[in-house]
Coordinates of all heavy atoms in Angstrom, one line a residue:
M1 N 94.6 111.3 76.0 CA 95.7 111.6 76.8 C 96.8 112.3 75.9 O 97.1 111.8 74.8 CB 96.3 110.4 77.5 CG 97.3 110.6 78.5 SD 97.6 109.2 79.5 CE 98.7 108.3 78.4
N2 N 97.4 113.4 76.4 CA 98.4 114.1 75.5 C 99.7 113.4 75.7 O 99.9 112.5 76.6 CB 98.4 115.6 75.8 CG 98.8 115.8 77.3 OD1 99.4 115.0 78.0 ND2 98.4 117.0 77.8
N3 N 100.7 113.8 74.9 CA 102.0 113.2 74.9 C 102.9 113.8 76.0 O 104.1 113.4 76.1 CB 102.7 113.3 73.6 CG 102.0 112.5 72.5 OD1 101.4 111.5 72.9 ND2 102.0 112.9 71.3
K4 N 102.5 114.8 76.7 CA 103.3 115.4 77.8 C 103.6 114.3 78.9 O 102.7 113.6 79.3 CB 102.6 116.6 78.4 CG 103.3 117.2 79.6 CD 102.4 118.2 80.2 CE 102.9 118.5 81.6 NZ 101.9 118.8 82.6
I5 N 104.9 114.3 79.3 CA 105.2 113.4 80.3 C 104.8 114.0 81.7 O 105.2 115.1 82.0 CB 106.7 113.1 80.3 CG1 107.1 112.3 79.0 CG2 107.2 112.2 81.5 CD1 108.5 112.0 78.8
M6 N 104.0 113.2 82.4 CA 103.6 113.7 83.7 C 104.4 113.2 84.8 O 104.9 112.1 84.8 CB 102.1 113.2 83.9 CG 101.1 113.8 82.9 SD 99.5 113.2 83.2 CE 99.4 111.9 82.1
D7 N 104.6 114.0 85.9 CA 105.2 113.5 87.1 C 104.2 112.6 87.9 O 103.1 112.5 87.5 CB 105.8 114.6 87.9 CG 104.8 115.5 88.6 OD1 103.6 115.1 88.7 OD2 105.2 116.6 89.0
S8 N 104.7 112.0 88.9 CA 103.8 111.1 89.7 C 102.6 111.7 90.2 O 101.5 111.1 90.2 CB 104.6 110.4 90.8 OG 105.0 111.4 91.8
K9 N 102.6 113.0 90.6 CA 101.4 113.6 91.2 C 100.4 113.9 90.1 O 99.2 113.7 90.2 CB 101.8 114.9 91.9 CG 102.6 114.7 93.1 CD 102.9 116.0 93.8 CE 103.7 115.8 95.0 NZ 104.1 117.0 95.7
E10 N 100.9 114.4 88.9 CA 100.0 114.6 87.8 C 99.3 113.4 87.3 O 98.1 113.3 87.0 CB 100.7 115.3 86.6 CG 101.2 116.7 86.9 CD 102.2 117.2 85.8 OE1 103.0 116.5 85.3 OE2 102.0 118.4 85.5
L11 N 100.1 112.3 87.2 CA 99.6 111.0 86.8 C 98.6 110.5 87.7 O 97.6 110.0 87.3 CB 100.8 110.1 86.5 CG 100.6 108.8 85.7 CD1 99.9 109.1 84.4 CD2 101.9 108.1 85.5
M12 N 98.9 110.6 89.0 CA 97.9 110.1 90.0 C 96.6 110.9 90.0 O 95.5 110.3 90.1 CB 98.6 110.2 91.4 CG 97.6 109.7 92.5 SD 97.1 108.0 92.3 CE 98.6 107.1 92.6
K13 N 96.7 112.2 89.8 CA 95.5 113.0 89.6 C 94.7 112.6 88.5 O 93.5 112.5 88.6 CB 95.9 114.5 89.5 CG 94.7 115.4 89.5 CD 95.2 116.9 89.4 CE 94.0 117.8 89.5 NZ 93.8 118.6 88.4
K14 N 95.3 112.3 87.3 CA 94.6 111.8 86.2 C 93.9 110.5 86.4 O 92.8 110.2 86.1 CB 95.5 111.7 84.9 CG 95.9 113.0 84.3 CD 94.7 113.5 83.5 CE 95.0 114.8 82.8 NZ 93.9 115.5 82.4
I15 N 94.6 109.6 87.1 CA 94.1 108.3 87.5 C 92.8 108.4 88.3 O 91.8 107.8 88.1 CB 95.1 107.4 88.2 CG1 96.2 107.0 87.2 CG2 94.5 106.2 88.9 CD1 97.4 106.3 87.8
M16 N 92.9 109.3 89.3 CA 91.8 109.6 90.2 C 90.6 110.2 89.4 O 89.4 109.8 89.6 CB 92.2 110.4 91.4 CG 93.1 109.7 92.4 SD 93.4 110.6 93.9 CE 94.4 111.9 93.3
E17 N 90.9 111.1 88.5 CA 89.8 111.8 87.7 C 89.1 110.7 86.8 O 87.9 110.7 86.8 CB 90.4 112.9 86.8 CG 90.9 114.1 87.6 CD 91.6 115.1 86.7 OE1 92.0 114.8 85.6 OE2 91.9 116.2 87.2
Y18 N 89.9 109.9 86.1 CA 89.3 108.9 85.3 C 88.6 107.9 86.1 O 87.5 107.4 85.7 CB 90.4 108.3 84.4 CG 90.6 109.0 83.1 CD1 91.5 110.1 83.1 CD2 89.9 108.8 81.9 CE1 91.7 110.9 82.0 CE2 90.1 109.5 80.8 CZ 91.0 110.5 80.8 OH 91.2 111.3 79.7
G19 N 89.1 107.5 87.3 CA 88.5 106.5 88.1 C 87.1 107.0 88.6 O 86.1 106.3 88.6
F20 N 87.1 108.3 89.0 CA 85.8 108.9 89.4 C 84.8 108.9 88.2 O 83.6 108.5 88.4 CB 86.0 110.4 89.9 CG 84.7 111.1 90.2 CD1 84.1 110.9 91.5 CD2 84.1 111.9 89.3 CE1 83.0 111.5 91.8 CE2 82.9 112.5 89.6 CZ 82.3 112.3 90.9
A21 N 85.2 109.3 87.0 CA 84.3 109.4 85.9 C 83.8 108.0 85.5 O 82.6 107.8 85.2 CB 85.1 110.0 84.7
I22 N 84.6 107.0 85.6 CA 84.2 105.6 85.3 C 83.2 105.1 86.3 O 82.2 104.5 86.0 CB 85.4 104.6 85.3 CG1 86.3 104.9 84.1 CG2 85.0 103.2 85.4 CD1 87.6 104.2 84.2
T23 N 83.4 105.4 87.6 CA 82.5 105.0 88.7 C 81.1 105.8 88.5 O 80.1 105.1 88.5 CB 83.0 105.3 90.1 OG1 84.2 104.6 90.2 CG2 82.1 105.0 91.2
D24 N 81.2 107.1 88.2 CA 80.0 107.8 88.0 C 79.2 107.4 86.8 O 78.0 107.2 86.9 CB 80.4 109.3 87.9 CG 79.2 110.2 88.0 OD1 78.4 110.1 89.0 OD2 79.0 111.2 87.2
L25 N 79.9 107.2 85.7 CA 79.2 106.7 84.5 C 78.7 105.3 84.7 O 77.6 104.9 84.2 CB 80.2 106.8 83.3 CG 79.5 106.6 81.9 CD1 78.3 107.5 81.7 CD2 80.6 106.8 80.8
G26 N 79.4 104.5 85.4 CA 78.9 103.1 85.7 C 77.6 103.1 86.5 O 76.7 102.3 86.2
L27 N 77.5 104.1 87.4 CA 76.2 104.2 88.2 C 75.1 104.6 87.2 O 74.0 104.1 87.3 CB 76.4 105.2 89.3 CG 77.3 104.8 90.4 CD1 77.6 106.0 91.4 CD2 76.7 103.6 91.2
Y28 N 75.4 105.5 86.3 CA 74.4 105.9 85.3 C 74.0 104.7 84.5 O 72.8 104.5 84.2 CB 74.9 107.0 84.4 CG 74.0 107.4 83.3 CD1 72.9 108.2 83.4 CD2 74.3 106.8 82.0 CE1 72.1 108.5 82.4 CE2 73.5 107.1 80.9 CZ 72.4 107.9 81.1 OH 71.5 108.2 80.0
L29 N 74.9 103.9 84.0 CA 74.6 102.8 83.2 C 73.9 101.7 83.9 O 73.2 100.9 83.3 CB 75.9 102.2 82.6 CG 76.5 103.1 81.5 CD1 78.0 102.6 81.2 CD2 75.7 103.0 80.2
D30 N 74.0 101.7 85.3 CA 73.1 100.7 86.0 C 71.7 101.0 85.8 O 70.9 100.0 85.8 CB 73.4 100.9 87.5 CG 74.7 100.3 87.9 OD1 75.3 99.5 87.1 OD2 75.2 100.5 89.1
T31 N 71.3 102.2 85.5 CA 69.9 102.5 85.3 C 69.5 102.8 83.8 O 68.4 103.0 83.5 CB 69.4 103.7 86.1 OG1 70.3 104.9 85.8 CG2 69.6 103.4 87.6
H32 N 70.6 102.9 83.0 CA 70.4 103.1 81.6 C 71.3 102.2 80.7 O 72.2 102.7 80.0 CB 70.7 104.6 81.2 CG 69.9 105.6 82.0 ND1 70.2 106.0 83.3 CD2 68.8 106.3 81.6 CE1 69.3 106.9 83.7 NE2 68.4 107.1 82.7
P33 N 71.1 100.9 80.9 CA 72.0 99.9 80.3 C 72.1 99.9 78.7 O 73.0 99.4 78.2 CB 71.5 98.6 80.8 CG 70.1 98.8 81.1 CD 70.0 100.3 81.6
K34 N 71.1 100.5 78.1 CA 71.1 100.5 76.6 C 71.5 101.8 76.0 O 71.4 102.0 74.8 CB 69.7 100.1 76.1 CG 69.3 98.7 76.5 CD 67.9 98.4 76.0 CE 67.5 97.0 76.5 NZ 66.2 96.6 76.1
D35 N 72.1 102.7 76.8 CA 72.5 104.0 76.3 C 73.9 103.8 75.6 O 74.9 103.8 76.2 CB 72.7 105.0 77.4 CG 73.1 106.4 77.0 OD1 73.6 106.5 75.9 OD2 72.8 107.3 77.8
T36 N 73.8 103.6 74.3 CA 75.0 103.2 73.5 C 76.1 104.3 73.5 O 77.3 104.0 73.6 CB 74.7 102.8 72.1 OG1 74.0 103.9 71.5 CG2 73.8 101.6 72.0
D37 N 75.7 105.6 73.5 CA 76.7 106.6 73.6 C 77.5 106.6 74.9 O 78.7 106.7 75.0 CB 76.0 108.0 73.5 CG 75.6 108.3 72.0 OD1 76.1 107.6 71.1 OD2 74.6 109.1 71.9
S38 N 76.7 106.4 76.0 CA 77.4 106.3 77.3 C 78.3 105.0 77.4 O 79.3 105.0 78.1 CB 76.4 106.3 78.4 OG 75.7 107.6 78.5
L39 N 77.8 103.9 76.8 CA 78.6 102.7 76.8 C 79.9 102.9 76.0 O 81.0 102.5 76.5 CB 77.9 101.6 76.1 CG 76.8 100.9 77.0 CD1 75.9 100.0 76.1 CD2 77.4 100.1 78.1
M40 N 79.9 103.6 74.9 CA 81.1 103.9 74.2 C 82.0 104.9 75.0 O 83.2 104.7 75.0 CB 80.8 104.5 72.8 CG 80.2 103.5 71.9 SD 79.9 104.0 70.2 CE 79.9 105.8 70.2
T41 N 81.4 105.9 75.7 CA 82.2 106.8 76.5 C 82.9 106.0 77.6 O 84.0 106.2 77.9 CB 81.3 107.9 77.0 OG1 80.8 108.6 76.0 CG2 82.1 108.8 77.9
Y42 N 82.1 105.1 78.3 CA 82.6 104.3 79.4 C 83.8 103.5 78.9 O 84.9 103.4 79.5 CB 81.5 103.3 79.9 CG 82.0 102.4 81.0 CD1 82.1 102.8 82.3 CD2 82.5 101.2 80.7 CE1 82.5 102.0 83.3 CE2 83.0 100.3 81.7 CZ 83.0 100.8 83.0 OH 83.5 99.9 84.0
S43 N 83.7 102.8 77.7 CA 84.8 102.0 77.2 C 86.0 102.9 76.9 O 87.1 102.4 77.3 CB 84.3 101.4 75.9 OG 85.3 100.6 75.3
S44 N 85.8 104.0 76.4 CA 87.0 104.9 76.1 C 87.6 105.4 77.4 O 88.9 105.3 77.5 CB 86.5 106.1 75.3 OG 87.6 107.1 75.2
L45 N 86.8 105.8 78.4 CA 87.4 106.2 79.7 C 88.1 105.0 80.4 O 89.2 105.2 80.9 CB 86.3 106.7 80.6 CG 85.6 108.0 80.3 CD1 84.4 108.2 81.1 CD2 86.6 109.1 80.4
R46 N 87.5 103.8 80.3 CA 88.2 102.6 80.9 C 89.5 102.3 80.3 O 90.5 102.1 81.0 CB 87.2 101.4 80.8 CG 87.8 100.2 81.5 CD 87.1 98.9 81.0 NE 87.4 98.8 79.5 CZ 86.4 98.5 78.6 NH1 85.2 98.2 79.0 NH2 86.7 98.4 77.3
D47 N 89.6 102.4 78.9 CA 90.8 102.1 78.2 C 91.9 103.2 78.6 O 93.0 102.8 78.9 CB 90.6 102.1 76.7 CG 89.8 101.0 76.3 OD1 89.5 100.0 77.0 OD2 89.3 101.0 75.1
T48 N 91.5 104.4 78.7 CA 92.5 105.5 79.1 C 92.9 105.2 80.5 O 94.1 105.4 80.9 CB 91.9 106.9 78.9 OG1 91.5 107.0 77.6 CG2 92.9 107.9 79.3
Y49 N 92.0 104.9 81.4 CA 92.3 104.7 82.8 C 93.3 103.5 83.0 O 94.3 103.6 83.7 CB 91.0 104.3 83.6 CG 91.1 103.9 85.0 CD1 91.3 104.9 86.0 CD2 91.1 102.6 85.4 CE1 91.5 104.6 87.3 CE2 91.2 102.2 86.7 CZ 91.4 103.2 87.7 OH 91.6 102.8 89.0
N50 N 93.0 102.4 82.2 CA 93.9 101.3 82.3 C 95.3 101.6 81.8 O 96.3 101.2 82.3 CB 93.3 100.1 81.5 CG 92.2 99.5 82.3 OD1 92.1 99.6 83.5 ND2 91.3 98.9 81.5
S51 N 95.4 102.5 80.7 CA 96.7 102.9 80.2 C 97.4 103.8 81.2 O 98.6 103.6 81.4 CB 96.5 103.7 78.9 OG 95.9 102.9 77.9
L52 N 96.7 104.6 81.9 CA 97.3 105.4 83.0 C 97.8 104.6 84.1 O 98.9 104.8 84.6 CB 96.3 106.5 83.5 CG 95.9 107.6 82.5 CD1 94.7 108.3 83.1 CD2 97.1 108.5 82.3
I53 N 97.1 103.6 84.5 CA 97.5 102.7 85.6 C 98.8 101.9 85.1 O 99.7 101.8 85.9 CB 96.4 101.6 85.9 CG1 95.2 102.3 86.5 CG2 96.9 100.5 86.8 CD1 95.4 102.8 87.9
I54 N 98.8 101.4 83.9 CA 100.0 100.7 83.4 C 101.2 101.7 83.4 O 102.3 101.3 83.8 CB 99.7 100.2 82.0 CG1 98.7 99.0 82.1 CG2 101.0 99.7 81.3 CD1 98.1 98.5 80.8
E55 N 101.0 102.9 82.9 CA 102.1 103.9 82.9 C 102.6 104.2 84.3 O 103.8 104.2 84.5 CB 101.6 105.1 82.2 CG 102.7 106.2 82.1 CD 103.9 105.8 81.2 OE1 103.8 104.8 80.5 OE2 104.9 106.5 81.3
Y56 N 101.7 104.4 85.2 CA 102.1 104.7 86.6 C 102.9 103.6 87.2 O 103.9 103.7 87.8 CB 100.9 105.0 87.5 CG 101.3 105.5 88.8 CD1 101.4 106.9 89.1 CD2 101.7 104.7 89.8 CE1 101.8 107.4 90.3 CE2 102.1 105.1 91.1 CZ 102.1 106.5 91.3 OH 102.6 107.0 92.5
T57 N 102.4 102.4 87.0 CA 103.0 101.2 87.5 C 104.4 101.0 86.9 O 105.4 100.7 87.6 CB 102.1 99.9 87.3 OG1 100.9 100.1 87.9 CG2 102.8 98.7 87.9
R58 N 104.5 101.2 85.6 CA 105.8 101.1 85.0 C 106.8 102.1 85.5 O 108.0 101.7 85.7 CB 105.6 101.3 83.5 CG 106.9 101.0 82.6 CD 106.7 101.3 81.2 NE 106.5 102.7 80.9 CZ 107.4 103.7 80.9 NH1 108.7 103.4 81.2 NH2 107.1 104.9 80.6
R59 N 106.4 103.3 85.7 CA 107.3 104.4 86.1 C 107.5 104.5 87.6 O 108.6 104.8 88.1 CB 106.8 105.7 85.6 CG 106.9 105.8 84.1 CD 106.3 107.0 83.5 NE 106.8 108.2 84.0 CZ 106.2 109.4 83.9 NH1 105.1 109.5 83.2 NH2 106.8 110.5 84.4
Y60 N 106.5 104.2 88.4 CA 106.6 104.5 89.9 C 106.3 103.3 90.8 O 106.4 103.5 92.0 CB 105.6 105.7 90.2 CG 105.9 106.9 89.4 CD1 105.0 107.3 88.4 CD2 107.0 107.6 89.6 CE1 105.2 108.4 87.6 CE2 107.3 108.8 88.8 CZ 106.4 109.2 87.8 OH 106.6 110.3 87.1
G61 N 105.9 102.2 90.2 CA 105.6 101.0 91.1 C 104.1 100.8 91.2 O 103.3 101.5 90.7
P62 N 103.8 99.6 91.8 CA 102.4 99.2 91.8 C 101.5 100.1 92.7 O 102.0 100.7 93.7 CB 102.5 97.8 92.4 CG 103.8 97.8 93.1 CD 104.7 98.7 92.4
L63 N 100.3 100.3 92.2 CA 99.3 101.0 93.0 C 98.5 100.2 94.0 O 98.0 100.6 95.0 CB 98.3 101.8 92.1 CG 98.9 102.9 91.3 CD1 97.9 103.4 90.3 CD2 99.2 104.1 92.3
T64 N 98.3 98.9 93.6 CA 97.6 97.9 94.4 C 98.5 96.7 94.6 O 99.3 96.4 93.8 CB 96.3 97.5 93.8 OG1 96.5 96.8 92.6 CG2 95.4 98.8 93.6
I65 N 98.2 96.0 95.6 CA 99.0 94.8 95.9 C 98.8 93.7 94.9 O 99.7 92.9 94.6 CB 98.6 94.2 97.3 CG1 99.7 93.4 97.9 CG2 97.3 93.6 97.3 CD1 99.7 93.1 99.3
T66 N 97.7 93.7 94.1 CA 97.5 92.8 93.1 C 98.4 93.0 91.8 O 98.5 92.1 91.0 CB 96.0 92.7 92.6 OG1 95.7 94.0 92.1 CG2 95.1 92.3 93.8
Q67 N 99.1 94.1 91.8 CA 100.0 94.4 90.7 C 101.4 94.0 90.9 O 102.2 94.1 90.0 CB 100.0 95.9 90.4 CG 98.7 96.5 89.9 CD 98.7 98.0 89.8 OE1 99.1 98.6 90.7 NE2 98.2 98.5 88.6
V68 N 101.7 93.4 92.1 CA 103.0 92.9 92.4 C 103.3 91.7 91.6 O 102.5 90.7 91.6 CB 103.2 92.6 93.9 CG1 104.5 92.0 94.2 CG2 103.0 93.9 94.7
T69 N 104.3 91.7 90.8 CA 104.5 90.6 89.8 C 105.8 89.8 90.1 O 106.1 88.8 89.5 CB 104.6 91.1 88.4 OG1 105.6 92.1 88.3 CG2 103.2 91.7 88.0
S70 N 106.7 90.3 91.0 CA 108.0 89.6 91.2 C 107.8 88.3 92.0 O 107.0 88.3 92.9 CB 108.9 90.5 91.9 OG 110.1 89.9 92.2
D71 N 108.5 87.3 91.6 CA 108.4 86.0 92.3 C 109.6 85.9 93.3 O 109.6 85.0 94.1 CB 108.5 84.9 91.3 CG 107.2 84.8 90.5 OD1 106.1 85.2 91.0 OD2 107.3 84.3 89.3
N72 N 110.6 86.7 93.2 CA 111.8 86.5 94.0 C 112.0 87.6 95.0 O 112.9 87.6 95.8 CB 113.0 86.3 93.2 CG 113.3 87.5 92.3 OD1 112.6 88.4 92.2 ND2 114.4 87.3 91.6
Y73 N 111.2 88.7 94.9 CA 111.4 89.8 95.9 C 110.0 90.5 96.0 O 109.4 90.8 95.0 CB 112.4 90.8 95.4 CG 112.7 92.0 96.3 CD1 113.3 91.8 97.5 CD2 112.2 93.2 96.0 CE1 113.6 92.8 98.3 CE2 112.4 94.3 96.8 CZ 113.1 94.1 98.0 OH 113.3 95.2 98.9
W74 N 109.7 90.9 97.2 CA 108.4 91.5 97.5 C 108.6 93.0 97.2 O 108.9 93.8 98.0 CB 108.0 91.3 99.0 CG 106.6 91.7 99.3 CD1 106.2 92.7 100.2 CD2 105.4 91.2 98.7 NE1 104.9 92.8 100.2 CE2 104.3 91.9 99.3 CE3 105.1 90.2 97.8 CZ2 103.0 91.6 99.0 CZ3 103.8 90.0 97.5 CH2 102.7 90.7 98.1
T75 N 108.3 93.4 95.9 CA 108.6 94.7 95.4 C 107.6 95.8 95.9 O 107.9 97.0 95.8 CB 108.5 94.7 93.9 OG1 107.2 94.3 93.5 CG2 109.6 93.9 93.3
W76 N 106.6 95.3 96.5 CA 105.5 96.3 97.1 C 106.1 97.3 98.0 O 105.7 98.4 98.1 CB 104.5 95.4 97.8 CG 103.3 96.2 98.3 CD1 103.0 96.4 99.6 CD2 102.3 96.9 97.6 NE1 101.9 97.1 99.8 CE2 101.4 97.5 98.5 CE3 102.1 97.1 96.3 CZ2 100.3 98.3 98.2 CZ3 101.0 97.9 95.9 CH2 100.1 98.5 96.9
I77 N 107.2 96.9 98.7 CA 107.8 97.8 99.7 C 108.9 98.6 99.2 O 109.5 99.4 99.9 CB 108.3 97.0 100.9 CG1 109.4 96.0 100.5 CG2 107.2 96.3 101.7 CD1 110.2 95.4 101.7
S78 N 109.2 98.6 97.9 CA 110.4 99.2 97.3 C 110.2 100.7 97.0 O 111.2 101.4 96.8 CB 110.8 98.5 96.0 OG 111.1 97.2 96.3
T79 N 109.0 101.2 96.9 CA 108.7 102.6 96.6 C 108.1 103.3 97.8 O 107.5 102.6 98.7 CB 107.8 102.7 95.4 OG1 106.6 102.0 95.6 CG2 108.5 102.1 94.2
P80 N 108.2 104.6 97.9 CA 107.5 105.3 99.0 C 106.0 105.1 99.0 O 105.4 105.1 97.9 CB 107.9 106.8 98.7 CG 109.0 106.7 97.8 CD 108.9 105.5 97.0
W81 N 105.5 105.1 100.2 CA 104.0 104.9 100.3 C 103.4 106.3 100.3 O 104.1 107.3 100.5 CB 103.7 104.2 101.6 CG 104.2 102.8 101.6 CD1 105.5 102.4 101.4 CD2 103.4 101.7 101.7 NE1 105.5 101.0 101.4 CE2 104.2 100.5 101.6 CE3 102.0 101.4 101.9 CZ2 103.8 99.2 101.7 CZ3 101.6 100.1 102.0 CH2 102.4 99.0 101.9
P82 N 102.1 106.5 100.1 CA 101.5 107.8 100.0 C 101.9 108.7 101.2 O 102.2 109.9 101.0 CB 100.0 107.5 99.9 CG 99.9 106.2 99.3 CD 101.1 105.4 99.8
W83 N 101.8 108.2 102.4 CA 102.1 109.0 103.6 C 103.6 109.3 103.7 O 104.0 110.1 104.5 CB 101.6 108.4 104.8 CG 102.1 107.0 105.0 CD1 103.3 106.6 105.7 CD2 101.5 105.8 104.6 NE1 103.4 105.3 105.7 CE2 102.3 104.7 105.1 CE3 100.3 105.5 104.0 CZ2 102.0 103.4 104.8 CZ3 100.0 104.2 103.8 CH2 100.8 103.1 104.2
E84 N 104.4 108.7 102.8 CA 105.9 109.0 102.8 C 106.2 110.0 101.7 O 107.3 110.2 101.3 CB 106.7 107.8 102.6 CG 106.5 106.8 103.7 CD 107.2 105.4 103.5 OE1 107.2 104.9 102.3 OE2 107.8 104.9 104.4
G85 N 105.2 110.6 101.1 CA 105.3 111.6 100.1 C 105.2 111.1 98.7 O 105.6 111.8 97.7
A86 N 104.7 109.9 98.5 CA 104.7 109.3 97.1 C 103.6 110.0 96.3 O 103.7 110.0 95.1 CB 104.4 107.8 97.2
C87 N 102.6 110.6 96.9 CA 101.5 111.2 96.1 C 101.7 112.7 96.0 O 101.6 113.5 96.8 CB 100.2 110.9 96.6 SG 99.8 109.1 96.4

């Protein structure tokens, strides 16, 4: 990932791209579980994906309900939803 600061749309696009790649590579690994090069690639993609999720959540709010961490306020409703122009 480069050091350029991405806006929410660019960051969401990267998250979706990495999510797709992880899912696709995971399907390949289901039938080729000993492919060490693919396992290393999967690990790298997963780490980048997780970093992107953390960055998005830090800057724009949670992507899933399981990321809500506040105990005193339901923060899930604090940011625009995708159909309200968040994506």
Side-chain angles (χ1 to χ4, degrees):
M1 191 169 79
N2 62 23
N3 291 333
K4 176 188 162 212
I5 295 179
M6 295 179 266
D7 67 18
S8 63
K9 290 180 184 181
E10 292 171 318
L11 196 49
M12 182 57 72
K13 184 176 184 240
K14 284 286 182 198
I15 289 168
M16 290 188 292
E17 289 170 352
Y18 276 85
F20 176 83
I22 288 167
T23 300
D24 194 47
L25 191 51
L27 292 171
Y28 171 81
L29 286 167
D30 284 346
T31 58
H32 301 81
K34 295 180 182 179
D35 184 338
T36 56
D37 288 337
S38 292
L39 284 167
M40 289 186 344
T41 300
Y42 178 87
S43 179
S44 175
L45 291 171
R46 184 200 60 224
D47 292 346
T48 301
Y49 176 80
N50 288 334
S51 295
L52 291 167
I53 294 287
I54 289 167
E55 179 66 13
Y56 188 96
T57 302
R58 185 184 68 76
R59 290 172 58 193
Y60 304 109
L63 288 171
T64 66
I65 201 163
T66 59
Q67 293 173 312
V68 176
T69 57
S70 177
D71 291 331
N72 61 357
Y73 180 73
W74 191 242
T75 57
W76 182 248
I77 61 167
S78 298
T79 57
W81 293 61
W83 56 86
E84 296 174 320
C87 291

